[in-house]
Amino acid sequence: RPGGAGGAAMEPERECRVLSIQSHVVRGYVGNKAATFPLQVLGFEVDTVNSVQFSNHTGYAHWKGQVLNSDELHELYEGLKLNKVNHYDYVLTGYTRDTSFLAMVVDIVQELKQQNSNLVYVCDPVMGDKWNGEGSMYVPKDLLPVYRDKVVPVADIITPNQFEAELLTGRKIYSEKDALEVMDMLHAMGPETVVITSSDLQAPLGNDYLIALGSHRKTKADGTRMTQRIRMESPKVDAVFVGTGDLFAAMLLAWTHKHPNNLKVACEKTVSAMQHVLQRTIKSAKAQAGEGNKPNSAQLELRMVQSKKDIENPEIIVKATVL
């Protein structure tokens, strides 16, 4: 349609392209299936490499499928390179089980950063989580040194949970002060934006809330460092969802792109959209399961398509506190 309001042509936004290297499932929403739709809805071109192709996520009773190895990843990247289309603004990665695959991702990110020094690498260092206060890794232990020594130093934005932040820094978090110090340690390793996506810290609003913390460190032209730190409290939703971390990282990528120097707004939009999606999902899952029944994995798949409007333009229902 030529011309917008008042006949002025809309200034086209420069194409922004994301290379997303994550799992693929035929049915449901995790990995690339959880990241691609929201990024496309928010105006990004998304090129996906599927690190695995499974029938469904591994929380179901059964799953089948194939795993991509590091040589195959390299081959796909070579194909892009031969056609000279290996130009990206963002790289996004999540759950990986294999050290050589992860090392290949690092090689690719470094090469892409040589092509484009402004490339932003968004990494969710998926390694494990806490259940009832006890942390455990659900990837092989030998991934930790690769994340710590190779991946995090080339990352620009990382989204660990509390347990993963503790693993990466070797330091336990018992208080908000500890968490801020751990985020500073993570900044010192490389990333300028760190978001601890969930923690077992006591929320000021009470036990029904989950705390997330964010920190953005920028070095200004004159060499001075500025750090913006925020806390967010979101209502706990009583269910086990899969793919939420992948959706979170994708939306954080999008909203930090749109609000580059305002972590507060980027996180408010990300976390609020998450809440809308989770509330819609749990409501729908409970309706499907029927009164008194616990929803199963299939019923708890994220209601992604149904949440398109919330993803595009989230009503802010979770506010961030600047610390």
Side-chain angles (χ1 to χ4, degrees), residues 256-277:
T256 51
H257 176 77
K258 293 174 195 288
H259 304 283
N261 293 311
N262 196 335
L263 186 63
K264 179 181 189 291
V265 171
C267 284
E268 284 174 346
K269 290 189 176 181
T270 300
V271 174
S272 293
M274 285 297 313
Q275 275 299 315
H276 292 301
V277 174

Side-chain angles (χ1 to χ4, degrees), residues 133-177:
E134 271 306 297
S136 68
M137 287 182 72
Y138 42 60
V139 300
K141 301 257 184 294
D142 56 359
L143 260 74
L144 173 56
V146 183
Y147 270 118
R148 188 186 57 222
D149 305 332
K150 295 198 166 131
V151 181
V152 172
V154 297
D156 301 283
I157 299 176
I158 57 170
T159 58
N161 58 31
Q162 178 180 334
F163 178 60
E164 290 156 349
E166 292 174 343
L167 284 176
L168 288 168
T169 56
R171 166 128 189 231
K172 286 270 192 277
I173 295 172
Y174 299 106
S175 66
E176 192 171 278
K177 182 174 175 288

Side-chain angles (χ1 to χ4, degrees), residues 92-94 121-128 152 155-162 164-165 168 186 191 193-198 213 244-253 256 263 267 270:
L92 175 62
T93 64
Y121 173 26
V122 180
C123 169
D124 185 2
V126 182
M127 288 182 284
V152 172
D156 301 283
I157 299 176
I158 57 170
T159 58
N161 58 31
Q162 178 180 334
E164 290 156 349
L168 288 168
L186 290 167
T193 302
V194 177
V195 177
I196 298 180
T197 54
S198 65
L213 296 161
T244 47
D246 308 321
L247 174 60
F248 186 98
M251 291 194 299
L252 186 68
L253 182 163
T256 51
L263 186 63
C267 284
T270 300

Side-chain angles (χ1 to χ4, degrees), residues 184 187-189 191-192 216-229:
D184 283 343
H187 283 312
M189 291 163 73
E192 70 169 31
H216 178 65
R217 174 179 286 182
K218 217 165 169 48
T219 306
K220 297 209 300 218
D222 62 3
T224 54
R225 280 210 303 233
M226 302 242 315
T227 309
Q228 183 190 22
R229 296 197 180 101

